């Protein structure tokens, strides 16, 4: 993750295969269509990680009428934390008490 939360520079996204078994080859046009390309800084486009991960292309096409997508396991936990804390900022102790 870069300086912008939830985003990774497009060049870093493509170069990940140099350091791991993951190969990301999606073209910018495809990422844009997914809503996963942040071009607010044209000199440093970035991939919006949550939009990329939750895109339909990462789902299992079980049948031509529907797809099975995995629920993000963190969603329930984040919802519970947000509801209980009622604040965008909390100490580690406050979070640990809820978790």
């Amino acid at each position: 993750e870069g300086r912008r939360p939830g985003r990774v520079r497009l060049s870093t996204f493509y170069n990940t295969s140099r350091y791991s078994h993951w190969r990301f080859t999606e073209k910018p046009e495809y990422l844009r269509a997914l809503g996963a390309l942040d071009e607010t800084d044209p000199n440093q486009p970035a991939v919006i990680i949550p939009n990329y991960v939750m895109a339909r292309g990462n789902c299992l096409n079980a049948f031509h009428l529907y797809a099975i997508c995995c629920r993000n396991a963190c969603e329930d936990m984040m919802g519970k934390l947000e509801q209980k804390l009622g604040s965008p900022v909390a100490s580690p102790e406050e979070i640990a008490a809820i978790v």
Side-chain angles (χ1 to χ4, degrees), residues 13-80:
F13 177 77
Y14 288 134
N15 286 325
T16 301
S17 63
R18 298 169 88 192
Y19 309 104
S20 76
H21 67 283
W22 296 104
R23 281 192 126 180
F24 301 110
T25 58
E26 292 88 344
K27 295 190 181 323
E29 295 79 16
Y30 177 74
L31 295 169
R32 189 177 301 115
L34 288 178
L37 185 61
D38 179 355
E39 297 177 286
T40 53
D41 180 349
N43 295 322
Q44 292 185 3
V47 175
I48 304 168
I49 299 168
N51 293 10
Y52 177 79
V53 170
M54 298 304 290
R56 183 167 175 132
N58 293 319
C59 299
L60 174 65
N61 288 319
F63 190 64
H64 70 281
L65 295 177
Y66 67 92
I68 299 171
C69 300
C70 296
R71 180 175 170 80
N72 183 339
C74 296
E75 291 292 327
D76 293 332
M77 179 64 69
M78 286 301 294
K80 180 180 176 183

